[in-house]
Each structure stands twice: as structure tokens, then as C-alpha cells.
Amino acid sequence: MQHFLRSFWMLALVVSSTSLCAEDRVDFAKHVRPILEKQCFRCHNAEKQEGGLRLDLRASGLKGGDNYAPAILPGKSAKSPLIDFISRDDADLRMPPKGDRLSAAEIKLLSLWIDQGADWPAETDALANAGAKHWSFQPVQRSQPPQVKLAATGNANAIDAFIAEKLNAKELAHSPRADRRTLIRRLNLIMHGLPPTPEAIDAFIKDDSPDAWKKLVDAALDSPRYGERWAQHWLDLVRFGETHGFETNRERPNAWPYRDYIIRALNADKPYDQFIREQVAGDALGADVGTGFLVAGPNDIVKSSDINLTLMQRQDELTDIVNTTGVTFLGLTLGCARCHNHKFDPITQRDFFALQAVFAGVQHADRNLPPTPERVSQLAAIDRRIDALVKQLEPFRSPLREPVNAQHNVERFTAQTAKYVRFTVLATNGGQPCVDELEIFSEGKNVALSKAGTRVTCSSSLPGYAIHKLEHVNDGQYGNSHSWISNESGGWVQVELPAAVPIDRVEWGRDREGKFKDRMPTRYRLECAAEPDQWKLVASSDDRQPFSDQANAQASYRFDDAPAAEAEQGKRWLAELEAARKEKTQINQSALAYVGTFQQPGPVHRLYRGEPSAKREEVAPDTIELLGSLKLTSATPEQERRRKLADWLTSKSNPLTARVLVNRLWQFHFGRGLVDTTNDFGRNGVAPTHPELLDWLASELMDSGWSIKHVQRLILMSHTWQQDSRPQARGIEVDGGGQLLWRFSPRRLEAEAIHDSILAVSGVLDVRMGGPGYDGFEVQYENVRHYFPKKTFGQDDYRRMVYMKKVRAEKESTFGAFDCPDASQVVARRTSSTTPLQALNLLNSDFIQHQAQLLTARLRKDAGDSTTAQVKRAFQLSFGREPTLDEQTDAAQFVDQHGLLLFCRALFNANELLFVP
């Protein structure tokens, strides 16, 4: 700010040196520019980089400094901070800081210039917008494919023409087409993350139809395995995790619906513009799960009584959302403008907080998803089945109800008209009582939800824990992280309904997710009243069997006194009842997803140096000023803010969205993008190697209705993608990095594809899709979660790794060494390291030894006892080919000396299994 005002001090001297009266116009060009140009008054090294503060540029002059922005309010000198500073006596803030002060006449003249509009010549705006001339901020222009000679290509398309133009300029040419065995393996590994079966390879090799490759590409894009593979790339990008991170790193049991949403959207080829809209404002579009994008990142659930820490935590949450949105969809590092104007790109700190105002109402939390007709029908059918089974089991019922359990208890009674319901805890199995969710039913509907206007009160609440507040007792969200804990050994919680209604059932639990069993109410009473203080007891623990840690539903029924046949039938009914109740719980839990909640935010201010306590001017919700405006106000409803931003992001006039997406697609097909810095399309990023091709692909994306598969099909059908990968001396000499794409560059698979390929080879890959993921760790459920390597493996561990619960800041013991991101920040492209630990894991880990045993059994089953046949089958499964004569001889000798099991372990460590050819 001082640099800024020193320059204006010199400006004031120049203006005041001219004798003007109030009726005269202060002429910038005549009185101001000559001295400014002569002296070159700038600050922040403006002569070395564009965007420095220059008073001969209107936009820069109005920008102001850190403390006040803008420093000049044209037409309002009395409210302009500049006039305030040059008029001050305060030594710390007055301007100029040293030397003679401005005279009253000089200040008056400068005020006159501001009151007249503080005019700069129009041409200075063009200079100020020099940063806007950066290539990525220009409109997408569809280029016509060049007319060039395409050497060694019999199936070229427009992509090949753009590539050939660059190759010809360097006297290079495309490599020949790869053989069919290589092509199908490359296609499956890149598009599915799985190797092709030997049968699929043979079928493709024998298919002599002219459209054999096209059919294979279409089949790859239509397979459900496609969505699972490409969802992993997207989940990396949006920092998806299934724990909160930070020191406690507790689980997010309901994060998985967003992962499934991504897989379904990609498989269905959901138009990319709609894909974006649903992730930014899906709650306004009937696609609620999509907003899981906004809250997919880490979240510190340990709050503090220190308001400064709490405010900073909130700023970190919002910065994560703003930065992820900017990087993911725009390829811009918006987070760099949190504390100051962006050092490289024309993004101001005001722009950052304008975008923060768009998301200021987003809160990390689970949200109940709207009921679907299918789910309502399922639950109704299960309830009918449960009621029928309960009636059938009535002859076997114990005089006492089953003991209380931590997960789910049902209190049924004769219908009572009630406005007030009180649940009083008399004793627990240890500690202060905890209640997860208190549900009150009237005519089959839960009327206790807070969103229905229900009010809750209690005897006391445990202080200092955001996850154990009273408001959680009827928020519709299950689990320990949304529960109420009393601050005394017993206590009560009371629900006041909006109006008196007939109720006949109350359901409650300590932890509906079944992970915690402490603090459970074991003795209690349930009362209701139509009028205040007219309590009537409707249920209690008195008619339950005594609580014990081993209690289960079977304790409610007695079969010993019944005839054997009837007893067996009763046991079968009881098993069906328990299964039906479990299914109902699972369906109810599937209606809850970690996709955020929304509330109307208060005013948003620009924060000096990003400090929450250093508020400056209020900022309305908007986007990057250089690229447009949302035309919103601080009063705009929260949902409308996000919807408007989504519309702006997906506008065809937005120069970044389509370019960024096609560049990411290119990267995952070829290993690197046309713009190598896939997350930075700003001026600190790398220029595209083939700018015309980038724009052509972006145009194809938009003109195809934003079809991702359309762009991928173009890439896969190109000769450039189908090239052989073998190096050539001339190519290495001229373009050792392969940026000009004279060959297909082989690369190692990511951790998930390696994991899944091993399962496919061993023959146990489980292709079940969707639903809660499986644990990749043994978890110690303390306040601070501890994660340990898994020692035993079952059917769930044979699912694809995209379904493994993603734990932040922890790496799975075998495949985590292969550069898995920790889900704490956006990852556009994984690193690819080579370490001894990787080889050791693929040889000696418990998982690999288990898989080697399974592969050994498969080889013996498929090939019998013949070592020759076993080796041949092993090569077919692992590498998609038969062994050479030398390989056959050496492998057979190895098996005879060291055994088939060790040979299988060695196969899992082979580069040919781990690399895209």
C-alpha cells in the first residue's frame, strides 16, 4: 500500500503544479503522464513482470493495496482511502511517509481529479489487460486439420494430421502400427485397468473384418469396467477420501455414494457440462450425490473454543473448495490468490473471495438423499415381511423383550396423541449416555426430524465436541459422528413436535452404524404428553431382558419347549427376520451420503493477507473478473450462487473448461498432456505442444454435446495412439522426451491397475459394482484412528481397488508404495517412482503370497501337472502371449528347481505385467 501511495504522492505533486480551478478538467495526458512515464513510477517489480502496480494504467491504479481496495473511488474523493491517507497525521499511515507533506491546495486538487472521475486514457486499459492475452484466456478456435503427408499410416484421422505437421517440421514420422496383440493389451490396460483374457486376444487376432478395431474400441467404451477405471483418475483429481484426515483421521462411512455416482456417470457418458453442473449444484438439479465433489476433501473435525482457530479452519475448508474447483475445471491455481493477488495470473484476491462467497454456505456433513420410488417400494416390502415374521414368531416369544443393543432398538406401543416425547436414561453400560438418532413415528412417517420444525431440549450436553451436539439427535443422520452425549451419568432428551399427532413407535440407538457400543442406555423410560408436564409412560426397559454384551435377537424367543419340527421352522423364521432387518438398515444407510449441507451465508469480506480477523471490504459472489461475471449480489440465495457458477463454468464461451478436460483425457491416453502442466493453464504453466490440436479437440467435445467418449473414441481410432512403442534412433535424437508423439511411450500402470491385474491373473477378481467399500487396513477404533497392514484376505479383498476405502495420509501396505496419492490435495498426474520396496512388496507381501497360491491352484487346474503346460498358461494369463523357446526352457527349469509357487510370485514382479506396452 505504501508503494502505491508514494506513487500517488508524486502524482499529486505533478497535478498540483498546474494551476486549475474546480471548473477545469484535470487532463491526465497533459499534466500527469509525462512525469509518470519519465519517472516510471511502479512497484512490485512491475518492470520485470506484467501485472505490477502502475499508475499510468487505470485498472492497476484502481486496484489499491492490501489494506484498502480500491484506494480510489472515482467521483467520491471523500470516501477514497487515498485522500484519507495523504490527509492523515498518523506517522504509520500518512503518505508520503517521509519528506514534505502535501499542501492543502495539492490535496484539494487531487480530490478534484478524483471527483471528476479520476480519468485515465482508454488505451491504458489495453495495457493493463496484457495478462489477459495469455493463450488459455482466448476463445477456443476450431482449426482445420492441416493438409500434410501422413507416412506409415493406413487409418489416419484429423488427430494424426495435427501430429504429423509437427513431426514433418522436425523430419520425423509416425511409427508403424503396433501388432494386434499389443493393441488389445494396451486398450484394455488403459481403458479398463485390466489385462485382456487369452480368449479375447485370440478372438481379436482372428477377426479379419475391416472394422475389427472399431468394434473392440466400442466394446471397451461400453464395458462397466471403463467407468471403474476412469473414475479413479477423477477421484484423484477431486481429492476424494473416505476418512476426514488430520490427526483423528476418522472414517466417512457415507462417502462412497459419490464414488459410485462418478462411475455411473462415466459409464453412461453423461455430458461433461451436465457432469460439472451436478457436482457444483446437483441439489438444484435432482442429482444430490454430485455435490460430494464439494466436500470430498479433508476436514478437521476437532474444533476449538478458540474463535481464531475456528475461523481459520473454516477458511481452510472454503479455500479447499475454491482451489479444487479452479484446478479441476479451469486449470487455474486460484488458491494462490487467497492472501494476495496472484503473482502470475490476472486473478485478484478479490476474485478469490468472490468465488469463496459462492461456496460460503457449503458445510461438510452427511445429507439425506431424496427418497426414490424404488427405495420407498423396497422399504415397504421389507416392513411387510418383518411384520409377517414377527407375527409368525409370536408363539415362540419370550415374556420379556430382547435386551437393548447399541445399534437399533424399537419401542412399540398403543397409539398416543403426543406433542412432547421424552427419553430418560437411568443407567448405561459405562460413561455418559449417547443417543445417535431418536425417531418418532406417526402413521409410518418419522415426525421427529429437525427439518420438519421439531424442537429438541435436554438435561445437559457434553461440551467441546461438534460431533456430539444436541442438534444431532434428530438431524436424520446416523452414526457416532452425528450423536448427542449427555454431560451427566444419566439425563434426558426431549422432542417437541410442531403439533400433536398420534404416535405408536419410537426407534433409537447408540450408534446406528454399529461401530460403537459404549455409553449405551441400558435402563430407561419413554414418556409422551399432549400438553406440557402431562407425562404418560409408554415404554421402558422394565419389560426387556437384562442387558449383556453377548445379547442378540435370539434371546427374545424360546424354541426349547416346542416340538423339534416347529422349533426348526421358528429358527428359520428368526434367521429371515434378522436378515430382513439387516437389509432394511443397509437401505436406510444408503439414503445417507457425505455430500454436504447448505445454508444461506452471511457477508463475505476480502481478508487482509488471508487473516480471518482482518476483514476489508465486503465481496459479492462472483467469478474471475477477467473472464466474466455472475451478476449476483450478497443477497442472492445460496443455491442460486452455485447454479450460476455451474452455468458459467459450462458455457461454451468459457475458454478453459473444454480445453482443460480434453487435455486431461489426452494425458491418460498418452501419459502426458498436450499441456504438460495439466493443473496449470496459467502463465506459470507450460504452453501446449500442439495448440491447434488442443482447440480442435475442445471444439469436438463441445460440438458433440460434451461427450467424453466421443473424444476418447477419436483418440483411440487415431494412428498416433495405435503406434508401435519401440524406440528409433532419429526420434530419440530429435525428441528424446517423446513430446512430438513419433511413437507410443510405454509407461507403468498405477497401483490400482497393478492390484486389479494380479487379481485377474490369479482368477479371483470380483467384479461386483458399487456399495460400501472394503477395508484395506486393520483398524483400531480409538478416538484417533490407527491403521495397520491387513494380514488375512477374503472375498471382499478380491474386488477392484477403486472400491477399497480410501484412507487419507495412509498407504496400503502392498500397493501404496506405487505412488498412491494421500487424498489430501488435487492430483492430476501421479508420479512414477522406482524403489526397492515396490519389488519387495510384489514378491514377499502377504497379499502377493496369497495371490500366488491362488494362481498356482489355477495353473494346476487349467494345465494339469505338466510343467510345460503350466508355464505356457502362466504366460498367456500374465502377458497375453506364449513364451519364447528360451523363456519356456528357463521357466520350466525354474519351476522344477524352486516350485510353481515361487514362479508365480516372480510373474507378479515382471515388468511386462506392470507396464502399458
Side-chain angles (χ1 to χ4, degrees):
M1 187 67 190
Q2 289 184 342
H3 290 298
F4 177 81
L5 292 172
R6 283 193 190 99
S7 297
F8 259 108
W9 171 59
M10 296 303 299
L11 169 64
L13 290 177
V14 174
V15 175
S16 65
S17 66
T18 305
S19 178
L20 294 172
C21 62
E23 290 75 18
D24 294 329
R25 297 290 299 179
V26 178
D27 187 287
F28 184 91
K30 180 179 179 181
H31 302 125
V32 180
R33 173 175 280 168
I35 191 66
L36 289 179
E37 290 181 344
K38 181 179 180 181
Q39 298 296 336
C40 190
F41 291 113
R42 304 180 184 181
C43 62
H44 300 303
N45 296 320
E47 68 278 5
K48 295 182 180 180
Q49 66 179 33
E50 296 178 12
L53 191 56
R54 293 177 49 177
L55 296 183
D56 56 338
L57 304 183
R58 182 177 186 276
S60 189
L62 290 176
K63 186 184 299 181
D66 290 334
N67 280 298
Y68 292 94
I72 295 176
L73 299 174
K76 300 177 181 179
S77 64
K79 294 184 178 180
S80 295
L82 169 66
I83 300 301
D84 178 42
F85 279 112
I86 62 177
S87 304
R88 278 177 179 264
D89 292 325
D90 187 336
D92 292 331
L93 294 176
R94 74 185 184 191
M95 298 305 294
K98 297 180 180 179
D100 295 335
R101 304 292 304 281
L102 296 182
S103 67
E106 291 167 337
I107 295 174
K108 182 177 180 180
L109 190 54
L110 185 54
S111 299
L112 175 61
W113 177 70
I114 294 174
D115 285 335
Q116 291 177 356
D119 288 336
W120 279 268
E123 62 268 19
T124 64
D125 287 339
L127 291 172
N129 289 332
K133 295 181 180 179
H134 183 62
W135 69 268
S136 68
F137 302 143
Q138 309 313 306
V140 173
Q141 300 286 342
R142 176 184 276 275
S143 302
Q144 291 301 314
Q147 301 297 315
V148 294
K149 181 181 179 181
L150 300 174
T153 63
N155 56 337
N157 64 13
I159 290 175
D160 301 313
F162 286 109
I163 298 299
E165 184 178 41
K166 295 280 187 178
L167 291 174
N168 292 348
K170 296 291 185 180
E171 298 183 353
L172 294 172
H174 282 97
S175 294
R177 189 174 189 247
D179 62 77
R180 285 197 170 194
R181 193 178 298 274
T182 297
L183 284 178
I184 186 174
R185 186 170 179 82
R186 181 186 299 172
L187 179 71
N188 271 55
L189 290 174
I190 288 180
M191 302 309 294
H192 293 170
L194 293 167
T197 64
E199 295 74 22
I201 295 172
D202 289 343
F204 177 55
I205 290 174
K206 294 175 181 177
D207 187 350
D208 56 3
S209 62
D211 62 346
W213 176 247
K214 181 181 181 301
K215 290 188 295 185
L216 198 65
V217 168
D218 289 343
L221 291 171
D222 290 339
S223 168
R225 309 285 81 79
Y226 160 84
E228 293 171 329
R229 166 65 163 162
W230 284 80
Q232 187 64 65
H233 299 321
W234 187 262
L235 296 175
D236 279 0
L237 184 61
V238 302
R239 81 285 187 230
F240 173 79
E242 294 179 79
T243 62
H244 290 291
F246 293 92
E247 63 268 29
T248 60
N249 208 17
R250 289 191 174 192
E251 56 284 340
R252 283 182 189 168
N254 302 310
W256 60 267
Y258 174 74
R259 173 248 292 154
D260 285 359
Y261 160 82
I262 297 298
I263 293 172
R264 290 194 304 270
L266 293 173
N267 275 333
D269 197 19
K270 185 184 291 288
Y272 185 61
D273 58 342
Q274 185 67 12
F275 188 57
I276 293 176
R277 288 191 184 98
E278 291 179 357
Q279 293 184 73
V280 175
D283 53 311
L285 304 170
D288 289 69
V289 182
T291 59
F293 161 79
L294 299 173
V295 293
N299 177 42
D300 191 352
I301 63 172
V302 180
K303 305 304 179 184
S304 169
S305 57
D306 183 345
I307 185 61
N308 293 316
L309 178 57
T310 300
L311 291 174
M312 184 58 75
Q313 286 177 319
R314 180 58 178 159
Q315 282 299 310
D316 290 342
E317 291 174 12
L318 293 173
T319 296
D320 172 64
I321 297 172
V322 171
N323 188 59
T324 303
T325 300
V327 169
T328 301
F329 302 125
L330 301 173
L332 294 178
T333 54
L334 298 181
C336 294
R338 174 180 178 177
C339 302
H340 49 70
N341 295 334
H342 202 292
K343 294 299 185 184
F344 302 102
D345 299 331
I347 302 170
T348 66
Q349 191 190 22
R350 189 180 180 88
D351 290 338
F352 174 87
F353 283 98
L355 280 161
Q356 188 186 100
V358 172
F359 297 114
V362 179
Q363 303 287 335
H364 275 260
D366 289 314
R367 186 167 86 243
N368 277 308
L369 302 179
T372 63
E374 179 185 10
R375 181 151 51 89
V376 170
S377 176
Q378 282 181 309
L379 288 173
I382 292 174
D383 281 339
R384 289 192 296 270
R385 182 62 177 155
I386 289 174
D387 289 343
L389 287 166
V390 168
K391 289 179 180 179
Q392 288 173 313
L393 284 165
E394 192 62 33
F396 304 99
R397 178 174 289 280
S398 166
L400 295 177
R401 291 191 294 155
E402 69 273 11
V404 294
N405 67 86
Q407 189 166 2
H408 189 207
N409 298 280
V410 180
E411 312 291 341
R412 300 176 188 273
F413 44 85
T414 304
Q416 306 285 328
T417 298
K419 180 177 173 64
Y420 306 93
V421 177
R422 177 179 285 188
F423 183 74
T424 302
V425 181
L426 305 173
T428 72
N429 64 342
Q432 305 101 315
C434 177
V435 177
D436 177 357
E437 188 77 6
L438 195 62
E439 298 174 308
I440 303 169
F441 289 87
S442 175
E443 298 179 349
K445 179 182 179 182
N446 179 14
V447 294
L449 290 170
S450 58
K451 65 181 181 181
T454 300
R455 179 173 173 267
V456 290
T457 54
C458 64
S459 56
S460 62
S461 287
L462 185 67
Y465 293 87
I467 63 174
H468 296 308
K469 290 184 176 181
L470 175 61
E471 64 197 51
H472 294 316
V473 82
N474 66 332
D475 62 359
Q477 302 185 61
Y478 293 158
N480 180 69
S481 58
H482 296 278
S483 61
W484 165 74
I485 294 182
S486 171
N487 196 32
E488 53 196 303
S489 58
W492 53 264
V493 60
Q494 180 176 310
V495 177
E496 180 182 346
L497 304 175
V501 294
I503 65 171
D504 59 3
R505 186 169 92 248
V506 171
E507 299 186 15
W508 62 276
R510 184 267 178 261
D511 176 16
R512 292 295 187 91
E513 293 172 349
K515 295 181 179 178
F516 292 84
K517 297 182 179 180
D518 61 338
R519 304 178 182 273
M520 183 176 66
T522 55
R523 291 183 54 237
Y524 62 87
R525 65 175 182 264
L526 183 68
E527 301 164 291
C528 70
E531 299 292 339
D533 298 324
Q534 296 182 6
W535 296 110
K536 179 178 181 181
L537 182 68
V538 293
S540 74
S541 54
D542 292 345
D543 65 343
R544 285 186 179 274
Q545 298 175 47
F547 167 78
S548 74
D549 291 332
Q550 286 74 41
N552 55 51
Q554 292 188 11
S556 300
Y557 300 95
R558 295 179 178 178
F559 302 104
D560 295 342
D561 298 334
E566 293 180 14
E568 287 302 315
Q569 178 62 68
K571 291 177 182 179
R572 286 194 293 271
W573 285 336
L574 181 59
E576 291 178 30
L577 177 63
E578 291 176 332
R581 286 173 171 168
K582 182 177 180 181
E583 183 181 3
K584 180 180 178 179
T585 299
Q586 291 175 340
I587 293 174
N588 279 324
Q589 287 178 344
S590 71
L592 198 63
Y594 196 87
V595 294
T597 58
F598 310 103
Q599 62 188 38
Q600 186 65 19
V604 173
H605 295 82
R606 185 177 64 86
L607 302 181
Y608 174 59
R609 297 183 179 177
E611 290 290 339
S613 60
K615 293 181 180 179
R616 295 301 185 257
E617 73 278 5
E618 185 175 338
V619 180
D622 212 332
T623 186
I624 303 167
E625 184 179 8
L626 173 71
L627 299 177
S629 174
L630 305 183
K631 301 186 184 305
L632 303 176
T633 71
S634 296
T636 301
E638 188 280 331
Q639 188 181 82
E640 181 69 4
R641 302 178 185 201
R642 290 181 288 110
R643 192 183 66 78
K644 285 289 188 182
L645 178 66
D647 290 342
W648 175 80
L649 286 169
T650 56
S651 169
K652 289 186 177 182
S653 63
N654 189 312
L656 291 163
T657 306
R659 282 182 174 133
V660 169
L661 188 275
V662 297
N663 189 64
R664 295 194 193 283
L665 297 177
W666 190 272
Q667 171 192 292
F668 290 120
H669 284 84
F670 289 98
R672 67 191 310 168
L674 295 169
V675 179
D676 200 32
T677 51
T678 47
N679 272 1
D680 192 354
F681 271 45
R683 298 191 311 170
N684 203 36
V686 176
T689 55
H690 300 74
E692 294 83 6
L693 173 56
L694 182 68
D695 272 19
W696 185 84
L697 288 169
S699 299
E700 281 290 322
L701 174 69
M702 292 187 286
D703 293 347
S704 69
W706 296 85
S707 168
I708 292 176
K709 288 186 179 181
H710 170 74
V711 175
Q712 292 181 296
R713 189 173 280 105
L714 289 171
I715 293 172
L716 295 172
M717 294 302 296
S718 72
H719 178 85
T720 303
W721 192 85
Q722 297 174 48
Q723 290 180 99
D724 192 80
S725 60
R726 284 173 290 191
Q728 300 174 15
R730 172 64 181 166
I732 293 176
E733 177 186 351
V734 174
D735 178 35
Q739 287 184 302
L740 298 179
L741 297 163
W742 50 271
R743 69 162 179 152
F744 184 90
S745 297
R747 62 184 185 274
R748 195 187 68 201
L749 292 167
E750 304 89 344
E752 291 82 1
I754 296 173
H755 168 276
D756 297 349
S757 294
I758 289 172
L759 291 175
V761 170
S762 66
V764 296
L765 178 65
D766 185 341
V767 294
R768 279 180 296 155
M769 296 182 68
Y774 64 94
D775 285 310
F777 300 88
E778 293 180 1
V779 186
Q780 187 174 342
Y781 288 101
E782 297 180 351
N783 180 51
V784 175
R785 298 294 192 259
H786 300 288
Y787 299 89
F788 301 98
K790 208 166 189 177
K791 299 297 183 183
T792 59
F793 307 95
Q795 188 62 37
D796 281 345
D797 299 288
Y798 302 157
R799 298 182 71 190
R800 300 199 68 175
M801 196 170 171
V802 71
Y803 297 115
M804 180 187 291
K805 293 176 183 175
K806 182 63 180 176
V807 177
R808 299 187 200 276
E810 297 285 350
K811 292 192 174 182
E812 191 274 339
S813 59
T814 300
F815 300 96
F818 289 89
D819 309 296
C820 282
D822 71 355
S824 294
Q825 58 187 351
V826 171
V827 174
R829 181 173 65 189
R830 297 187 185 184
T831 56
S832 184
S833 63
T834 302
T835 69
L837 185 59
Q838 294 166 351
L840 290 171
N841 283 354
L842 290 184
L843 188 65
N844 298 323
S845 69
D846 291 336
F847 180 84
I848 291 299
Q849 294 197 53
H850 178 66
Q851 291 301 310
Q853 293 172 354
L854 294 171
L855 177 56
T856 298
R858 181 180 188 182
L859 294 178
R860 286 174 176 154
K861 179 181 178 182
D862 291 357
D865 295 329
S866 168
T867 300
T868 300
Q870 290 171 350
V871 169
K872 180 178 178 181
R873 183 59 174 164
F875 270 71
Q876 291 172 339
L877 293 171
S878 302
F879 311 138
R881 64 175 179 85
E882 295 190 2
T884 65
L885 181 60
D886 288 343
E887 288 172 334
Q888 177 72 60
T889 302
D890 292 343
Q893 184 177 359
F894 182 92
V895 171
D896 290 339
Q897 291 180 354
H898 302 286
L900 186 58
L901 179 63
L902 194 57
F903 173 65
C904 291
R905 290 167 61 189
L907 286 176
F908 290 150
N909 226 319
N911 277 347
E912 194 169 351
L913 179 68
L914 310 180
F915 273 73
V916 178

